[in-house]
Amino acid sequence: MRLNYQRVSVIALTAVARETKHIGIVSTYSTTYTEPYNLARTLKTLDVVSNGRMGWNAVTTSNHEAAANFGQPLPDRDTRYKMAHEHVEAVQTLWGTFGEEAYIHNKETGEFVDMSQVKLANYNGKYYQTRGPLPIPASPQGQPPIFQAGGGEKGLELAGRFASGVYANPFTKEDAKLHRMMLRKSAEAHGRNPDDIKMFAGFMFSIGKTVEEALERRYMMQEFAPR
């Protein structure tokens, strides 16, 4: 049986949103192998279902095996990040096409939507185009926040322009501070308040009864990793 991973993800996220009330829900979707309209519709729907708790971890996809699933070659890194900037722009434009007060839903008058507050996206980039609008009401948070996890100069630029949260895996406290400083500089370079980006530092650890056992487990895990 073949499963569509995006459909499975949507089902799982909808179930989590229904059974929880306070936790934030962030889903990873590729900017290289999804269309802005489909992604905008999926995440905005989940944002409404979760009462404004949805986020999007925007990734560019860097694995050739993953690219093969879509029957397309993997673009080079520069192209993938150019596509990512356009993709996020297009998605956020679509999210903004339905005014915050456009959803009337008046049972007495039969008026459903104030069409004067619904506008076309008309986004025309080099890699992505979308007309819109996206007919989904605004959630309590307005739009899902953008998360980012890519490293390097291009990842920092994407985060500085769009991200509210960044996943990072620094190996030392000094590396973590440096990464945070670079994120803040990138945000400032794009005219944003650097405090608007929150960095979530992950920790990679191995557990053992002794230091030697923990190190042995770490080495074993490294041997399992693809080369």
Side-chain angles (χ1 to χ4, degrees):
M1 178 174 64
R2 297 182 64 185
L3 297 176
N4 184 307
Y5 80 96
Q6 291 186 355
R7 290 179 182 173
V8 173
S9 175
V10 170
I11 293 171
L13 291 171
T14 303
V16 171
R18 184 187 64 183
E19 299 299 327
T20 61
K21 294 182 179 180
H22 303 293
I23 66 170
I25 306 167
V26 179
S27 183
T28 299
Y29 281 92
S30 173
T31 57
T32 307
Y33 295 110
T34 58
E35 288 298 324
Y37 188 86
N38 290 341
L39 179 61
R41 181 174 59 181
T42 297
L43 292 180
K44 191 64 177 292
T45 301
L46 286 167
D47 199 39
V48 173
V49 169
S50 66
N51 199 32
R53 292 184 287 125
M54 195 66 208
W56 171 28
N57 179 33
V59 300
T60 62
T61 304
S62 59
N63 187 287
H64 288 276
E65 286 73 16
N69 291 331
F70 300 92
Q72 301 177 23
L74 185 69
D76 63 76
R77 181 177 173 84
D78 286 349
T79 300
R80 293 200 308 275
Y81 272 95
K82 289 177 182 177
M83 293 172 68
H85 281 266
E86 279 197 12
H87 196 291
V88 177
E89 276 186 340
V91 168
Q92 291 186 326
T93 301
L94 286 164
W95 284 340
T97 57
F98 200 102
E100 292 186 6
E101 299 180 359
Y103 186 56
I104 298 174
H105 197 207
N106 191 319
K107 294 182 180 180
E108 295 181 359
T109 64
E111 191 175 11
F112 186 68
V113 174
D114 180 358
M115 292 303 298
S116 67
Q117 296 193 46
V118 180
K119 58 186 179 181
L120 299 177
N122 285 332
Y123 183 87
N124 292 293
K126 178 179 179 180
Y127 302 100
Y128 297 108
Q129 299 82 40
T130 180
R131 176 179 178 271
L134 188 69
I136 301 175
S139 75
Q141 68 172 346
Q143 292 191 7
I146 306 299
F147 286 72
Q148 193 270 345
E153 180 182 352
K154 297 187 181 302
L156 288 168
E157 181 183 6
L158 186 66
R161 186 177 179 192
F162 296 110
S164 296
V166 173
Y167 300 118
N169 287 308
F171 286 94
T172 66
K173 185 183 294 186
E174 289 71 25
D175 288 343
K177 290 181 177 179
L178 177 62
H179 196 129
R180 176 60 177 151
M181 180 188 70
M182 294 173 71
L183 282 172
R184 292 178 66 85
K185 286 185 176 180
S186 181
E188 289 178 336
H190 288 90
R192 298 178 60 199
N193 183 339
D195 291 333
D196 288 344
I197 302 182
K198 308 301 180 185
M199 190 179 88
F200 298 85
F203 294 92
M204 303 173 66
F205 55 86
S206 297
I207 299 176
K209 294 180 180 179
T210 64
V211 173
E212 291 73 19
E213 182 179 333
L215 287 173
E216 185 178 350
R217 289 185 177 182
R218 166 64 64 186
Y219 296 143
M220 182 178 65
M221 294 299 295
Q222 290 176 341
E223 289 297 320
F224 289 156
R227 299 181 183 277

